[in-house]
Amino acid sequence: MIELVLTPAASQRVRFAVSPLEEVIAAVQVALGLRHHPVYEGWLARTAAVARELPMAELGRVLSGATYITDFLSPPPEGPETTAEAQLAAIRATPPDQVAVELSRVDADLGRLRDDPVAARELLADQMELAWTRLVAPDWERIREVLVADIEFRSREAARSGLAAAVSDLHERVRMAGDALVIRSATRMRARLDERGLLLVPCAFSWPRVGAIVAAPWQPALLYPARGVGGLWPRADAAEPTGEDQLAAVVGRAKARLLLTLEEPASTTALARRLGLAPGTVSEHLTALRGLGLLTARRSGRAVLYRRTPLGDALTQTRSEARV
């Protein structure tokens, strides 16, 4: 069991962030068969051939560690706007001594990678950059939409009811116990967090796993599966849900697809990209659904986010029950 004790100073610095390179690490593990889940089948069908051709043998060895795979390859992000480029620069700035220490902890055959920490750091950074460019970047906008939607949902919960409510359904292995965030794990550790606080990092490719970064000198972080990942990479041969016809009969096919897609708040642009429709068409349908009392809209920065009302939820729930 891992206990992350939120001291008074740490409790003031619990915040969310997005880590592009954490997605790269997990995506490479999926592509190399080091982790498995049916949710990735659609993505694998498109990228497996590309992954097989990428020169990333050394990275694959590091990521095959059974209990530890290094922390310097996914530097803690600053916040939701962190870029892969910034994290790649941080990898290349990692002190050689830190690289050497972390590689020594990896319980896998690394060949001669440990012999020269500087050369290892540069080689692994290059392979991470290649994996980002070829495997993750093509889908990044869609992935990031899911991650940001998760952050917005949990931020609202935290503001309304506190941190315990925000993490209550974060993962079955995570819970609040007094002033500590408790993670059910074979590892036994109790860490009192300092004024750096705690990063909460939703992840797409790590789904359905949860993990913690607590080793010095890194920013303590909790990595957890983001909500809505199941809709990111539908299988090409997946059958259309049988209950969609009933909902389409009420509001029309395009509006039904929009309602079903709005599991989490989303903008017109995001919905248009996800469904392959023109933004103008999506805007027209969203306006109609708002008029029917099935959606609400609120501004978030420069975007307007749409979400289902209780009536919209009830209508989609009726559709879900029709599948049973």
Side-chain angles (χ1 to χ4, degrees), residues 130-142:
L130 182 63
W132 158 258
T133 302
R134 300 296 302 279
L135 299 181
V136 178
D139 290 324
W140 180 241
E141 287 304 318
R142 296 176 62 241

Side-chain angles (χ1 to χ4, degrees), residues 290-303:
R290 283 188 70 191
L292 292 170
L294 301 177
L295 298 179
T296 61
R298 67 175 181 84
R299 182 164 293 280
S300 177
R302 290 179 293 178

Side-chain angles (χ1 to χ4, degrees), residues 13-308:
R13 290 282 290 164
V14 178
R15 58 205 188 279
F16 292 92
V18 167
S19 177
L21 293 196
E22 193 64 42
E23 303 296 349
V24 171
I25 285 176
V28 170
Q29 289 181 314
V30 171
L32 297 181
L34 298 172
R35 65 170 67 192
H36 309 271
H37 197 278
V39 75
Y40 303 118
E41 289 181 3
W43 179 81
L44 274 173
R46 292 191 290 107
T47 59
V50 174
R52 284 194 296 268
E53 299 298 322
L54 295 182
M56 53 182 188
E58 291 80 8
L59 179 60
R61 287 183 176 185
V62 172
L63 299 187
S64 68
T67 60
Y68 182 75
I69 60 172
T70 77
D71 293 318
F72 79 91
L73 289 179
S74 59
E78 293 294 326
E81 304 299 327
T82 296
T83 65
E85 292 73 20
Q87 288 185 297
L88 287 166
I91 291 178
R92 294 187 167 100
T94 306
D97 288 350
Q98 184 67 28
V99 175
V101 167
E102 295 193 16
L103 290 179
S104 72
R105 296 175 183 166
V106 178
D107 47 345
D109 179 10
L110 301 188
R112 301 184 63 84
L113 199 60
R114 296 186 177 99
D115 294 349
D116 186 337
V118 173
R121 180 190 65 190
E122 298 306 313
L123 176 62
L124 292 171
D126 289 344
Q127 293 183 1
M128 286 287 291
E129 183 171 9
L130 182 63
W132 158 258
T133 302
R134 300 296 302 279
L135 299 181
V136 178
D139 290 324
W140 180 241
E141 287 304 318
R142 296 176 62 241
I143 294 170
R144 190 176 182 283
E145 288 168 7
V146 170
L147 304 181
V148 170
D150 179 280
I151 290 174
E152 290 179 344
F153 169 80
R154 297 191 188 283
S155 295
R156 289 195 303 271
E157 290 297 299
R160 180 166 52 233
S161 305
L163 180 61
V167 302
S168 63
D169 66 341
L170 190 147
H171 194 277
E172 61 181 7
R173 290 168 49 198
V174 177
R175 62 183 175 87
M176 286 295 297
D179 61 353
L181 194 63
V182 179
I183 307 159
R184 193 168 72 248
S185 169
T187 301
R188 300 190 65 83
M189 176 185 296
R190 180 179 173 86
R192 288 181 60 83
L193 303 185
D194 57 24
E195 65 277 358
R196 292 176 300 167
L198 177 68
L199 279 183
L200 298 175
V201 184
C203 300
F205 278 102
S206 67
W207 201 92
R209 299 185 184 184
V210 65
I213 296 175
V214 292
W218 304 108
Q219 162 70 51
L222 178 67
L223 315 172
Y224 65 91
R227 296 159 52 93
V229 171
L232 268 175
W233 302 289
R235 289 169 45 187
D237 61 347
E240 185 176 331
T242 57
E244 188 169 312
D245 290 334
Q246 288 89 337
L247 184 56
V250 177
V251 296
R253 179 70 63 186
K255 294 182 183 65
R257 292 179 65 199
L258 281 168
L259 273 178
L260 296 174
T261 301
L262 281 166
E263 293 284 347
E264 299 293 341
S267 67
T268 300
T269 301
L271 290 166
R273 185 186 302 117
R274 200 173 303 172
L275 297 178
L277 298 173
T281 300
V282 171
S283 179
E284 180 181 339
H285 290 313
L286 291 173
T287 298
L289 289 169
R290 283 188 70 191
L292 292 170
L294 301 177
L295 298 179
T296 61
R298 67 175 181 84
R299 182 164 293 280
S300 177
R302 290 179 293 178
V304 175
L305 301 180
Y306 293 85
R307 65 180 304 172
R308 292 194 304 237

